[in-house]
Amino acid sequence: MAAVKRPHMPVMLVANDLLEGDVVFAATEGWTRDPREACIARDDSHAQALESFAADEFRLARIVDPYLVEVTLNAKGHPVPRHYREVLRMLGPSNRLDLGKQADFKF
Amino acid sequence: MYAYDQFDERLVRERVAQFASQVERRLDGSLSDEEFRPLRLKNGLYLQLHAYMLRIAIPYGTLSARQLRQLAHIADVYDRGYGHFTTRQNLQFNWPKLKDVPAILGLLADVEMHCIQTSGNCIRNVTADHFAGVAHDEIEDPRPSAEWIRQWSTLHPEFDWLGRKFKIAVSGAPHDRAVLKAHDIGVQILRDPVTQQIGYQLLVGGGLGRTPMEGKILREFLPREELLGYLEAVLRIYNLEGRRDNKYKARIKILTHEIGIKAFRAKVEEEFARIDSTNFGADLEEFSRIAAQFAPPAYDNLPDVSRKLEVAQAGDEELARFVEHNLYRHKRKGYTAVTISLKAIGQAPGDATSLQMRVIADLAEKYSLNEARVTHMQNIVLPDVRLDDVPEIFAVLRENDLATANVGLITDILCCPGLDYCALATARSIPLAQTLSRHFADPIKQKEIGELSIKMSGCINACGHHHVGNIGILGLEKKGAESYQITIGGDASENFALGELLGPGLPEQNVPEAIDKVLGVYLALRQPGESFIEAYRRLGLAPFKAAFKEVADAVA
């Protein structure tokens, strides 16, 4: 059996809030809607701990669709996803800068 | 318009209560995500890139002013003040919260609307020609047949869990404005040349997506009384014999392709012969009951030409352009069908604000016998307008950024939400549509190019119908970046054709230049009066491909 491909570090963990649908990020404690507060895992054991936390939260019907997102860190130390899909997901619709996290958090 | 009877009303109300209970049980953990997911999808609720998305059924695209106002109200109270009209004549809200969805469904039920079967592996909302009942070339209004099919297919116990989704469209005119040949079943109303009896031609196995196919004729002529029984037989064969081992091969088009139309037809006919047609006999009475609700309104006898409109046009170039492009010939003298373009230059195709919805509702109420239609081209039609009233309507539209005179032109771009909203998308589509809209904004240039459709999808699922665009654009991922493949020669009409690929995918910024090259060939080589698609058919792919290659080579 082929080994499960693990993501390149660093990563953050993203999910949707079950009740509201918003994109949420695993923070040092609980969840945050602000990606700048996302907990950044720099090694696999930390990433696995995030996944384990998300699995518990999924079972408790708080979030859905959790997964790890590969990121780089910008000059301020904030995560920037490596893939454009996840950048859009973090910001909001690129044709509506008045909507999504780009508007909520004035990125 | 069709008005709900006690059965429709009860069914929709019961579904609201049922879904409210399902949401409650999901939130208290008694329903797992795996159990809840198909239930929310059966109620049109997706989880998209940023949030939940709720898709509201607009059967055959028909809306009353009251319904449109209720949609505006929901947009303001539970969403972000706008909605997206889709390529299947529905409406999507992009930001609802799960906890609010039962309340939204309740508000929809108040105006005889719902989200039932707008997602999931079932028979989806039935679509139809947006000029139904008013088109000058119509044999019969397709709405009674579409409503009849809607009632038959709603919560049909045998077809609630099909192998894959199933889409049916109906047209009552020889000119196909409902893309029948891209549907699982296309229902073409026609008249038997010998008996003059009105019946149906059935097409089967059409579709776009990753395996685009043109629907094939399953039955040349089907008497009205046999329609529902025959559809039952088609669905039964599909349900039993369609593939379930691979979701990408589970649509009926794969079944009809793999066994061949002859073998498929034989199976359907055999099944149809077995069906006890007396079960469906009473339905003709139901058809008559439905048809009575679509009886033509009491039109006034008006002169063919409106002097008032002629005078107004003479002094207003923009109005004259609007009349030239956005009016469609009505079956009655002195009336017209007005298409309101949701493609203002630089805007996201199909999006309308709650204010615009209310403006259109007011216009429908005042000038169009209380009715509006959503088109699969993502525009809105006021179907029953007096020519005399067009100047007043235009003035209101102009004040509300709804008066763009581009119906059928190059900036009337059909476009899916793409990666700005959709979790399945591989690339964005809206920003490129906006760029192209601005690039071709000049009305004189648009008129010079003439009738031409650009259709764009942000993934191979083809919600943006790119295969049947005269120019089709498909957004994909290539080496970690967005890339756009261009096809030409697609045709969504009765002259259905799938577009052919011009060459390798291009970055977004090179697409306008590539389309300029394609148009350059057309404008240089066209014959007088020849549209882009006609020129393409005469010239073939080669000259366009050669022109495109110049751009592709420079990018490579």
Side-chain angles (χ1 to χ4, degrees):
Chain A
M1 196 178 120
V4 177
K5 194 183 169 202
R6 294 296 295 170
H8 293 288
M9 297 298 135
V11 293
M12 62 182 179
L13 190 134
V14 63
N16 289 91
D17 182 87
L18 174 66
L19 196 57
E20 308 229 323
D22 274 8
V23 177
V24 291
F25 307 88
T28 311
E29 278 186 36
W31 299 93
T32 177
R33 285 170 165 71
D34 185 344
R36 293 170 298 188
E37 295 171 357
C39 182
I40 305 301
R42 290 178 172 78
D43 58 54
D44 202 45
S45 65
H46 192 181
Q48 284 180 23
L50 288 178
E51 288 180 304
S52 166
F53 163 68
D56 289 343
E57 293 286 286
F58 176 75
R59 274 193 293 276
L60 291 168
R62 291 194 182 122
I63 54 99
V64 285
D65 294 351
Y67 60 92
L68 295 172
V69 170
E70 295 178 5
V71 297
T72 56
L73 300 178
N74 67 15
K76 291 179 182 172
H78 298 149
V80 179
R82 287 174 185 271
H83 196 281
Y84 63 85
R85 180 187 192 272
E86 299 306 326
V87 172
L88 282 163
R89 193 160 187 230
M90 189 180 82
L91 295 175
S94 67
N95 67 310
R96 289 290 302 264
L97 302 182
D98 58 325
L99 297 171
K101 297 184 187 307
Q102 60 202 351
D104 296 345
F105 301 110
K106 310 267 186 287
F107 288 162
Chain B
M1 275 183 72
Y2 180 75
Y4 276 13
D5 64 14
Q6 58 182 326
F7 299 107
D8 298 298
E9 166 76 17
R10 190 174 134 195
L11 184 151
V12 169
R13 293 286 177 193
E14 283 179 355
R15 177 54 78 93
V16 176
Q18 183 189 48
F19 190 61
S21 159
Q22 287 162 348
V23 170
E24 210 170 286
R25 283 180 286 145
R26 175 67 186 107
L27 295 178
D28 73 16
S30 48
L31 279 179
S32 70
D33 187 54
E34 196 182 0
E35 289 165 331
F36 181 66
R37 194 169 171 274
L39 300 175
R40 72 165 159 76
L41 288 174
K42 279 279 159 67
N43 291 283
L45 188 63
Y46 288 74
L47 190 53
Q48 289 286 26
L49 198 68
H50 309 296
Y52 287 105
M53 178 272 277
L54 185 65
R55 182 180 293 151
I56 296 163
I58 304 176
Y60 33 92
T62 299
L63 280 172
S64 67
R66 181 168 168 248
Q67 289 173 325
L68 200 42
R69 286 195 191 102
Q70 188 79 318
L71 294 174
H73 173 69
I74 292 168
D76 283 342
V77 175
Y78 293 107
D79 212 82
R80 303 291 172 92
Y82 73 106
H84 174 75
F85 289 98
T86 77
T87 59
R88 292 206 76 250
Q89 299 179 300
N90 291 322
L91 179 79
Q92 293 178 180
F93 286 126
N94 290 309
W95 307 92
K97 298 183 187 315
L98 177 61
K99 61 181 181 180
D100 294 333
V101 172
I104 296 172
L105 295 184
L107 288 170
L108 291 172
D110 290 346
V111 294
E112 303 185 354
M113 295 184 83
H114 60 77
C115 299
I116 298 169
Q117 292 176 211
T118 59
S119 176
N121 294 336
C122 52
I123 302 173
R124 300 288 188 87
N125 186 38
V126 179
T127 56
D129 181 355
H130 44 265
F131 292 133
V134 302
H136 66 91
D137 61 343
E138 193 167 86
I139 296 158
E140 183 183 77
D141 184 346
R143 288 172 301 166
S145 297
E147 173 59 27
W148 203 27
I149 294 168
R150 184 193 75 81
Q151 295 191 14
W152 161 78
S153 62
T154 299
L155 308 191
H156 192 305
E158 189 177 335
F159 307 133
D160 206 27
W161 299 98
L162 297 169
R164 201 74 178 85
K165 60 188 166 184
F166 202 94
K167 300 174 183 177
I168 302 176
V170 189
S171 169
H175 178 41
D176 180 6
R177 291 173 286 260
V179 209
L180 293 190
K181 289 181 178 172
H183 281 78
D184 295 287
I185 291 181
V187 180
Q188 174 69 58
I189 296 172
L190 44 68
R191 196 181 291 278
D192 184 298
V194 180
T195 66
Q196 293 298 301
Q197 183 195 4
I198 286 183
Y200 307 96
Q201 182 188 70
L202 284 199
L203 300 155
V204 71
L208 301 175
R210 72 177 59 215
T211 318
M213 286 188 192
E214 177 177 354
K216 298 170 188 70
I217 294 175
L218 179 62
R219 195 42 129 84
E220 287 285 359
F221 187 85
L222 196 62
R224 169 115 59 220
E225 60 272 22
E226 294 181 0
L227 178 65
L228 297 188
Y230 206 84
L231 289 177
E232 189 104 353
V234 175
L235 265 294
R236 189 167 290 163
I237 295 301
Y238 166 58
N239 204 16
L240 291 171
E241 309 221 1
R243 288 177 61 169
R244 287 175 187 260
D245 60 322
N246 179 343
K247 74 179 275 198
Y248 302 119
K249 295 184 186 296
R251 297 287 289 268
I252 195 172
K253 63 188 172 187
I254 303 296
L255 175 64
T256 53
H257 179 71
E258 285 186 349
I259 70 171
I261 188 68
K262 276 188 186 167
F264 182 78
R265 186 183 293 122
K267 284 175 187 287
V268 170
E269 293 288 348
E270 190 184 349
E271 183 60 35
F272 181 57
R274 263 204 295 267
I275 286 177
D276 181 359
S277 60
T278 54
N279 278 346
F280 295 95
D283 283 333
L284 268 186
E285 284 175 34
E286 176 61 9
F287 181 84
S288 301
R289 186 187 75 85
I290 294 166
Q293 300 197 42
F294 292 100
Y299 290 113
D300 290 325
N301 286 319
L302 301 173
D304 216 356
V305 175
S306 164
R307 284 289 302 148
K308 187 180 162 193
L309 179 57
E310 283 185 345
V311 170
Q313 278 187 84
D316 186 339
E317 194 185 328
E318 283 183 38
L319 172 61
R321 200 176 291 129
F322 182 82
V323 168
E324 182 181 357
H325 297 298
N326 294 37
L327 266 50
Y328 188 79
R329 191 176 144 202
H330 200 282
K331 66 182 180 184
R332 293 286 303 211
K333 285 181 184 175
Y335 286 83
T336 185
V338 174
T339 300
I340 300 169
S341 169
L342 297 182
K343 319 285 177 63
I345 298 303
Q347 296 301 304
D351 279 10
T353 66
S354 56
L355 175 66
Q356 289 176 322
M357 291 183 210
R358 289 193 180 91
V359 166
I360 295 170
D362 290 348
L363 291 173
E365 195 168 66
K366 190 169 177 188
Y367 297 109
S368 184
L369 305 174
N370 201 33
E371 197 175 313
R373 309 272 178 77
V374 183
T375 81
H376 83 270
M377 286 297 299
Q378 304 174 285
N379 295 317
I380 307 270
V381 166
L382 299 176
D384 283 304
V385 170
R386 288 162 178 256
L387 287 170
D388 273 355
D389 292 333
V390 170
E392 280 95 335
I393 291 172
F394 179 73
V396 174
L397 293 175
R398 184 153 50 182
E399 280 171 25
N400 291 282
D401 204 17
L402 288 168
T404 311
N406 63 352
V407 173
L409 300 178
I410 193 167
T411 59
D412 185 6
I413 299 170
L414 186 149
C415 175
C416 73
L419 192 53
D420 281 302
Y421 292 98
C422 179
L424 296 175
T426 42
R428 288 172 296 164
S429 50
I430 294 170
L432 181 51
Q434 293 173 302
T435 299
L436 291 171
S437 171
R438 291 189 194 101
H439 186 74
F440 293 108
D442 178 6
I444 295 163
K445 182 73 179 171
Q446 288 193 61
K447 188 172 174 181
E448 185 196 356
I449 296 165
E451 189 184 336
L452 190 152
S453 62
I454 294 182
K455 302 187 188 221
M456 179 163 25
S457 306
C459 79
I460 56 171
N461 292 309
C463 294
H465 298 190
H466 60 275
H467 300 105
V468 292
N470 295 166
I471 295 176
I473 303 175
L474 167 61
L476 295 167
E477 177 178 350
K478 189 174 171 184
K479 296 176 184 166
E482 292 164 298
S483 171
Y484 296 86
Q485 286 185 351
I486 304 177
T487 50
I488 62 167
D491 190 334
S493 76
E494 64 279 11
N495 305 313
F496 188 92
L498 299 170
E500 294 186 74
L501 193 60
L502 280 173
L506 300 175
E508 180 183 353
Q509 66 267 24
N510 299 102
V511 172
E513 180 191 357
I515 293 178
D516 280 341
K517 289 282 184 192
V518 168
L519 292 176
V521 173
Y522 162 60
L523 294 173
L525 301 180
R526 71 177 169 186
Q527 293 177 347
E530 195 175 46
S531 69
F532 176 83
I533 190 69
E534 289 164 347
Y536 167 79
R537 286 197 199 109
R538 178 175 58 82
L539 295 164
L541 185 64
F544 298 98
K545 204 167 178 168
F548 175 85
K549 193 169 182 297
E550 292 173 33
V551 179
D553 287 349
V555 170

